[in-house]
Short mmCIF file of all heavy atoms in Angstrom, two decimals:
data_model
loop_
_atom_site.label_atom_id
_atom_site.label_comp_id
_atom_site.label_asym_id
_atom_site.label_seq_id
_atom_site.Cartn_x
_atom_site.Cartn_y
_atom_site.Cartn_z
N PRO A 468 -24.06 -12.92 17.10
CA PRO A 468 -24.37 -14.11 17.88
C PRO A 468 -23.50 -14.15 19.13
O PRO A 468 -22.39 -13.62 19.12
CB PRO A 468 -24.02 -15.27 16.94
CG PRO A 468 -23.67 -14.68 15.64
CD PRO A 468 -23.50 -13.21 15.80
N PRO A 469 -24.02 -14.77 20.20
CA PRO A 469 -23.22 -14.81 21.41
C PRO A 469 -21.88 -15.50 21.15
O PRO A 469 -21.79 -16.37 20.31
CB PRO A 469 -24.07 -15.63 22.38
CG PRO A 469 -25.38 -15.83 21.73
CD PRO A 469 -25.27 -15.49 20.30
N GLY A 470 -20.90 -15.13 21.88
CA GLY A 470 -19.62 -15.82 21.78
C GLY A 470 -18.64 -15.13 20.86
O GLY A 470 -17.48 -15.49 20.82
N ILE A 471 -19.11 -14.15 20.10
CA ILE A 471 -18.17 -13.45 19.24
C ILE A 471 -17.59 -12.26 20.00
O ILE A 471 -18.32 -11.50 20.62
CB ILE A 471 -18.84 -13.02 17.94
CG1 ILE A 471 -19.20 -14.25 17.12
CG2 ILE A 471 -17.93 -12.11 17.13
CD1 ILE A 471 -19.88 -13.98 15.84
N ASP A 472 -16.34 -12.12 19.92
CA ASP A 472 -15.64 -11.08 20.67
C ASP A 472 -15.98 -9.69 20.14
O ASP A 472 -15.72 -9.38 18.98
CB ASP A 472 -14.13 -11.35 20.54
CG ASP A 472 -13.31 -10.29 21.25
OD1 ASP A 472 -13.90 -9.51 22.03
OD2 ASP A 472 -12.09 -10.26 21.02
N PRO A 473 -16.62 -8.86 20.96
CA PRO A 473 -17.01 -7.54 20.46
C PRO A 473 -15.81 -6.71 20.00
O PRO A 473 -15.92 -5.90 19.09
CB PRO A 473 -17.70 -6.88 21.65
CG PRO A 473 -17.42 -7.73 22.82
CD PRO A 473 -17.01 -9.09 22.35
N VAL A 474 -14.67 -6.94 20.63
CA VAL A 474 -13.48 -6.19 20.22
C VAL A 474 -13.10 -6.59 18.79
O VAL A 474 -12.76 -5.73 17.96
CB VAL A 474 -12.31 -6.43 21.19
CG1 VAL A 474 -11.04 -5.78 20.68
CG2 VAL A 474 -12.65 -5.88 22.57
N ALA A 475 -13.23 -7.91 18.51
CA ALA A 475 -12.90 -8.37 17.16
C ALA A 475 -13.81 -7.72 16.13
O ALA A 475 -13.38 -7.30 15.06
CB ALA A 475 -13.02 -9.89 17.10
N ILE A 476 -15.10 -7.60 16.50
CA ILE A 476 -16.05 -7.00 15.58
C ILE A 476 -15.75 -5.51 15.40
O ILE A 476 -15.75 -4.98 14.29
CB ILE A 476 -17.49 -7.22 16.08
CG1 ILE A 476 -17.81 -8.70 15.97
CG2 ILE A 476 -18.49 -6.39 15.29
CD1 ILE A 476 -19.10 -9.10 16.59
N PHE A 477 -15.42 -4.88 16.52
CA PHE A 477 -15.08 -3.46 16.47
C PHE A 477 -13.87 -3.25 15.56
O PHE A 477 -13.86 -2.38 14.69
CB PHE A 477 -14.76 -2.99 17.91
CG PHE A 477 -14.40 -1.54 18.02
CD1 PHE A 477 -15.37 -0.56 17.87
CD2 PHE A 477 -13.11 -1.14 18.29
CE1 PHE A 477 -15.06 0.78 18.00
CE2 PHE A 477 -12.78 0.20 18.42
CZ PHE A 477 -13.76 1.16 18.27
N MET A 478 -12.88 -4.12 15.72
CA MET A 478 -11.68 -4.00 14.91
C MET A 478 -12.00 -4.29 13.44
O MET A 478 -11.48 -3.63 12.54
CB MET A 478 -10.60 -4.97 15.40
CG MET A 478 -9.98 -4.56 16.73
SD MET A 478 -9.24 -2.91 16.64
CE MET A 478 -8.63 -2.66 18.28
N ALA A 479 -12.88 -5.28 13.21
CA ALA A 479 -13.25 -5.61 11.83
C ALA A 479 -13.90 -4.42 11.16
O ALA A 479 -13.64 -4.11 9.99
CB ALA A 479 -14.19 -6.81 11.82
N GLN A 480 -14.73 -3.70 11.95
CA GLN A 480 -15.37 -2.51 11.38
C GLN A 480 -14.34 -1.44 11.07
O GLN A 480 -14.43 -0.73 10.09
CB GLN A 480 -16.41 -1.97 12.36
CG GLN A 480 -17.73 -2.70 12.27
CD GLN A 480 -18.68 -2.31 13.38
OE1 GLN A 480 -18.40 -1.42 14.17
NE2 GLN A 480 -19.79 -3.00 13.45
N MET A 481 -13.34 -1.37 11.94
CA MET A 481 -12.33 -0.35 11.73
C MET A 481 -11.44 -0.64 10.52
O MET A 481 -10.90 0.27 9.91
CB MET A 481 -11.46 -0.21 12.98
CG MET A 481 -12.22 0.46 14.09
SD MET A 481 -11.26 0.91 15.53
CE MET A 481 -9.67 1.25 14.92
N THR A 482 -11.30 -1.95 10.21
CA THR A 482 -10.39 -2.29 9.13
C THR A 482 -11.12 -2.40 7.79
O THR A 482 -10.49 -2.58 6.76
CB THR A 482 -9.67 -3.62 9.41
OG1 THR A 482 -10.66 -4.61 9.68
CG2 THR A 482 -8.74 -3.50 10.59
N ALA A 483 -12.44 -2.32 7.82
CA ALA A 483 -13.20 -2.47 6.58
C ALA A 483 -12.80 -1.36 5.59
O ALA A 483 -12.55 -0.23 5.98
CB ALA A 483 -14.69 -2.39 6.88
N ALA A 484 -12.74 -1.76 4.34
CA ALA A 484 -12.40 -0.78 3.30
C ALA A 484 -13.56 0.20 3.17
O ALA A 484 -14.72 -0.20 3.23
CB ALA A 484 -12.16 -1.49 1.99
N PRO A 485 -13.25 1.48 3.02
CA PRO A 485 -14.32 2.46 2.87
C PRO A 485 -15.21 2.10 1.68
O PRO A 485 -14.72 1.66 0.65
CB PRO A 485 -13.57 3.77 2.62
CG PRO A 485 -12.21 3.55 3.17
CD PRO A 485 -11.92 2.09 3.01
N SER A 486 -16.49 2.27 1.87
CA SER A 486 -17.42 1.92 0.80
C SER A 486 -18.50 2.99 0.75
O SER A 486 -18.88 3.55 1.77
CB SER A 486 -18.02 0.56 1.12
OG SER A 486 -19.30 0.45 0.54
N SER A 487 -18.97 3.26 -0.44
CA SER A 487 -20.03 4.25 -0.56
C SER A 487 -21.41 3.62 -0.41
O SER A 487 -22.42 4.30 -0.51
CB SER A 487 -19.92 4.97 -1.91
OG SER A 487 -20.10 4.02 -2.94
N ALA A 488 -21.45 2.30 -0.17
CA ALA A 488 -22.75 1.62 -0.02
C ALA A 488 -23.54 2.28 1.10
O ALA A 488 -23.00 2.53 2.17
CB ALA A 488 -22.53 0.15 0.28
N GLY A 489 -24.79 2.57 0.82
CA GLY A 489 -25.64 3.18 1.84
C GLY A 489 -25.48 4.69 1.94
O GLY A 489 -26.05 5.32 2.81
N LEU A 490 -24.69 5.27 1.02
CA LEU A 490 -24.49 6.72 1.07
C LEU A 490 -24.93 7.41 -0.21
O LEU A 490 -24.74 8.61 -0.38
CB LEU A 490 -23.01 7.04 1.34
CG LEU A 490 -22.42 6.50 2.65
CD1 LEU A 490 -20.94 6.83 2.74
CD2 LEU A 490 -23.15 7.06 3.85
N LEU A 491 -25.50 6.64 -1.15
CA LEU A 491 -25.83 7.21 -2.46
C LEU A 491 -27.34 7.34 -2.64
O LEU A 491 -28.04 6.33 -2.77
CB LEU A 491 -25.25 6.32 -3.57
CG LEU A 491 -23.73 6.10 -3.51
CD1 LEU A 491 -23.31 5.09 -4.56
CD2 LEU A 491 -22.99 7.42 -3.69
N PRO A 492 -27.85 8.56 -2.66
CA PRO A 492 -29.31 8.72 -2.78
C PRO A 492 -29.85 8.33 -4.16
O PRO A 492 -31.06 8.18 -4.32
CB PRO A 492 -29.51 10.21 -2.51
CG PRO A 492 -28.20 10.86 -2.79
CD PRO A 492 -27.15 9.83 -2.48
N GLU A 493 -28.95 8.19 -5.15
CA GLU A 493 -29.44 7.89 -6.49
C GLU A 493 -29.73 6.40 -6.71
O GLU A 493 -30.28 6.02 -7.74
CB GLU A 493 -28.43 8.37 -7.56
CG GLU A 493 -27.08 7.67 -7.56
CD GLU A 493 -26.04 8.37 -6.69
OE1 GLU A 493 -26.43 8.96 -5.65
OE2 GLU A 493 -24.84 8.32 -7.03
N VAL A 494 -29.41 5.56 -5.74
CA VAL A 494 -29.66 4.12 -5.90
C VAL A 494 -31.16 3.85 -5.89
O VAL A 494 -31.87 4.31 -4.98
CB VAL A 494 -28.96 3.33 -4.77
CG1 VAL A 494 -29.39 1.87 -4.79
CG2 VAL A 494 -27.45 3.46 -4.90
N THR A 495 -31.64 3.13 -6.90
CA THR A 495 -33.07 2.83 -6.94
C THR A 495 -33.31 1.36 -6.68
O THR A 495 -32.51 0.50 -7.06
CB THR A 495 -33.70 3.18 -8.30
OG1 THR A 495 -33.12 2.32 -9.28
CG2 THR A 495 -33.47 4.63 -8.67
N VAL A 496 -34.43 1.10 -6.03
CA VAL A 496 -34.79 -0.27 -5.72
C VAL A 496 -35.18 -1.02 -7.00
O VAL A 496 -34.93 -2.21 -7.13
CB VAL A 496 -35.96 -0.26 -4.71
CG1 VAL A 496 -36.53 -1.65 -4.53
CG2 VAL A 496 -35.47 0.31 -3.40
N VAL A 497 -35.76 -0.29 -7.94
CA VAL A 497 -36.20 -0.93 -9.19
C VAL A 497 -35.05 -1.70 -9.82
O VAL A 497 -35.22 -2.81 -10.32
CB VAL A 497 -36.73 0.14 -10.17
CG1 VAL A 497 -36.95 -0.44 -11.54
CG2 VAL A 497 -38.02 0.73 -9.63
N ASP A 498 -33.86 -1.15 -9.76
CA ASP A 498 -32.70 -1.83 -10.35
C ASP A 498 -32.28 -3.05 -9.57
O ASP A 498 -31.44 -3.81 -10.02
CB ASP A 498 -31.52 -0.84 -10.43
CG ASP A 498 -31.79 0.28 -11.42
OD1 ASP A 498 -32.58 0.05 -12.36
OD2 ASP A 498 -31.23 1.38 -11.24
N GLN A 499 -32.82 -3.20 -8.39
CA GLN A 499 -32.38 -4.33 -7.55
C GLN A 499 -33.46 -5.40 -7.41
O GLN A 499 -33.26 -6.38 -6.69
CB GLN A 499 -32.02 -3.82 -6.15
CG GLN A 499 -30.93 -2.78 -6.14
CD GLN A 499 -30.72 -2.22 -4.74
OE1 GLN A 499 -30.57 -2.96 -3.78
NE2 GLN A 499 -30.70 -0.91 -4.63
N LEU A 500 -34.61 -5.18 -8.05
CA LEU A 500 -35.70 -6.16 -7.90
C LEU A 500 -35.38 -7.43 -8.65
O LEU A 500 -34.86 -7.41 -9.77
CB LEU A 500 -37.02 -5.59 -8.43
CG LEU A 500 -37.74 -4.58 -7.55
CD1 LEU A 500 -38.96 -4.04 -8.27
CD2 LEU A 500 -38.15 -5.21 -6.22
N GLN A 501 -35.69 -8.54 -8.02
CA GLN A 501 -35.49 -9.82 -8.69
C GLN A 501 -36.67 -10.71 -8.28
O GLN A 501 -36.78 -11.11 -7.13
CB GLN A 501 -34.19 -10.44 -8.23
CG GLN A 501 -33.77 -11.60 -9.08
CD GLN A 501 -32.43 -12.13 -8.63
OE1 GLN A 501 -32.20 -12.36 -7.46
NE2 GLN A 501 -31.53 -12.33 -9.58
N VAL A 502 -37.55 -10.93 -9.24
CA VAL A 502 -38.79 -11.63 -8.91
C VAL A 502 -38.92 -12.89 -9.76
O VAL A 502 -38.79 -12.84 -10.98
CB VAL A 502 -40.01 -10.72 -9.15
CG1 VAL A 502 -41.29 -11.45 -8.79
CG2 VAL A 502 -39.88 -9.44 -8.33
N SER A 503 -39.14 -14.00 -9.11
CA SER A 503 -39.45 -15.23 -9.84
C SER A 503 -40.90 -15.58 -9.52
O SER A 503 -41.57 -14.88 -8.75
CB SER A 503 -38.53 -16.35 -9.41
OG SER A 503 -38.93 -16.82 -8.14
N GLU A 504 -41.35 -16.69 -10.08
CA GLU A 504 -42.74 -17.09 -9.87
C GLU A 504 -43.04 -17.36 -8.39
O GLU A 504 -44.15 -17.18 -7.93
CB GLU A 504 -43.01 -18.35 -10.69
CG GLU A 504 -44.36 -18.31 -11.33
CD GLU A 504 -44.42 -19.25 -12.50
OE1 GLU A 504 -44.54 -20.46 -12.25
OE2 GLU A 504 -44.34 -18.78 -13.64
N THR A 505 -42.01 -17.80 -7.69
CA THR A 505 -42.25 -18.22 -6.31
C THR A 505 -41.79 -17.21 -5.26
O THR A 505 -41.98 -17.43 -4.08
CB THR A 505 -41.50 -19.54 -6.03
OG1 THR A 505 -40.11 -19.34 -6.34
CG2 THR A 505 -42.04 -20.67 -6.87
N THR A 506 -41.19 -16.12 -5.72
CA THR A 506 -40.60 -15.17 -4.76
C THR A 506 -41.59 -14.75 -3.67
O THR A 506 -41.24 -14.69 -2.50
CB THR A 506 -40.10 -13.91 -5.50
OG1 THR A 506 -39.22 -14.31 -6.53
CG2 THR A 506 -39.39 -12.95 -4.56
N PHE A 507 -42.82 -14.48 -4.10
CA PHE A 507 -43.79 -13.93 -3.14
C PHE A 507 -44.83 -14.95 -2.67
O PHE A 507 -45.90 -14.59 -2.21
CB PHE A 507 -44.49 -12.71 -3.75
CG PHE A 507 -43.54 -11.60 -4.12
CD1 PHE A 507 -43.55 -11.05 -5.39
CD2 PHE A 507 -42.62 -11.12 -3.19
CE1 PHE A 507 -42.68 -10.02 -5.72
CE2 PHE A 507 -41.74 -10.10 -3.52
CZ PHE A 507 -41.77 -9.55 -4.80
N ASP A 508 -44.52 -16.23 -2.82
CA ASP A 508 -45.47 -17.27 -2.40
C ASP A 508 -45.98 -17.06 -0.98
O ASP A 508 -47.19 -17.11 -0.72
CB ASP A 508 -44.78 -18.64 -2.44
CG ASP A 508 -44.77 -19.21 -3.85
OD1 ASP A 508 -45.42 -18.61 -4.73
OD2 ASP A 508 -44.11 -20.24 -4.07
N GLN A 509 -45.06 -16.84 -0.08
CA GLN A 509 -45.47 -16.75 1.33
C GLN A 509 -46.27 -15.49 1.63
O GLN A 509 -47.17 -15.52 2.46
CB GLN A 509 -44.25 -16.81 2.23
CG GLN A 509 -43.56 -18.16 2.13
CD GLN A 509 -42.57 -18.35 3.25
OE1 GLN A 509 -42.75 -17.83 4.34
NE2 GLN A 509 -41.53 -19.11 2.99
N GLN A 510 -45.93 -14.41 0.93
CA GLN A 510 -46.69 -13.18 1.12
C GLN A 510 -48.13 -13.38 0.63
O GLN A 510 -49.08 -13.00 1.31
CB GLN A 510 -46.04 -12.03 0.35
CG GLN A 510 -44.79 -11.48 1.00
CD GLN A 510 -43.54 -12.31 0.72
OE1 GLN A 510 -43.61 -13.38 0.11
NE2 GLN A 510 -42.40 -11.83 1.17
N ARG A 511 -48.25 -13.97 -0.56
CA ARG A 511 -49.60 -14.19 -1.11
C ARG A 511 -50.39 -15.11 -0.19
O ARG A 511 -51.57 -14.87 0.06
CB ARG A 511 -49.49 -14.78 -2.51
CG ARG A 511 -49.00 -13.78 -3.55
CD ARG A 511 -49.13 -14.32 -4.96
NE ARG A 511 -48.19 -15.37 -5.25
CZ ARG A 511 -47.04 -15.19 -5.93
NH1 ARG A 511 -46.71 -14.00 -6.38
NH2 ARG A 511 -46.24 -16.21 -6.17
N ALA A 512 -49.73 -16.15 0.32
CA ALA A 512 -50.42 -17.08 1.21
C ALA A 512 -50.90 -16.38 2.48
O ALA A 512 -51.82 -16.84 3.15
CB ALA A 512 -49.50 -18.24 1.57
N ALA A 513 -50.26 -15.27 2.82
CA ALA A 513 -50.67 -14.51 4.00
C ALA A 513 -51.65 -13.40 3.64
O ALA A 513 -52.00 -12.58 4.48
CB ALA A 513 -49.44 -13.93 4.69
N GLY A 514 -52.06 -13.35 2.37
CA GLY A 514 -53.04 -12.34 1.95
C GLY A 514 -52.43 -11.00 1.59
O GLY A 514 -53.13 -10.02 1.38
N ILE A 515 -51.10 -10.93 1.52
CA ILE A 515 -50.42 -9.66 1.20
C ILE A 515 -50.22 -9.58 -0.31
O ILE A 515 -49.63 -10.47 -0.91
CB ILE A 515 -49.05 -9.56 1.92
CG1 ILE A 515 -49.22 -9.80 3.42
CG2 ILE A 515 -48.40 -8.21 1.65
CD1 ILE A 515 -47.91 -10.06 4.15
N THR A 516 -50.74 -8.52 -0.90
CA THR A 516 -50.69 -8.43 -2.37
C THR A 516 -49.90 -7.23 -2.87
O THR A 516 -49.55 -7.17 -4.04
CB THR A 516 -52.12 -8.32 -2.95
OG1 THR A 516 -52.71 -7.12 -2.44
CG2 THR A 516 -52.97 -9.52 -2.55
#
Side-chain angles (χ1 to χ4, degrees):
Chain A
I471 293 179
D472 178 12
V474 173
I476 291 172
F477 181 72
M478 288 302 179
Q480 277 171 6
M481 288 189 30
T482 54
S486 153
S487 62
L490 300 177
L491 303 174
E493 65 268 33
V494 171
T495 65
V496 171
V497 170
D498 293 333
Q499 301 174 50
L500 283 176
Q501 193 177 48
V502 181
S503 76
E504 220 159 77
T505 55
T506 306
F507 300 128
D508 278 353
Q509 294 194 30
Q510 285 80 355
R511 289 189 289 261
I515 307 166
T516 62

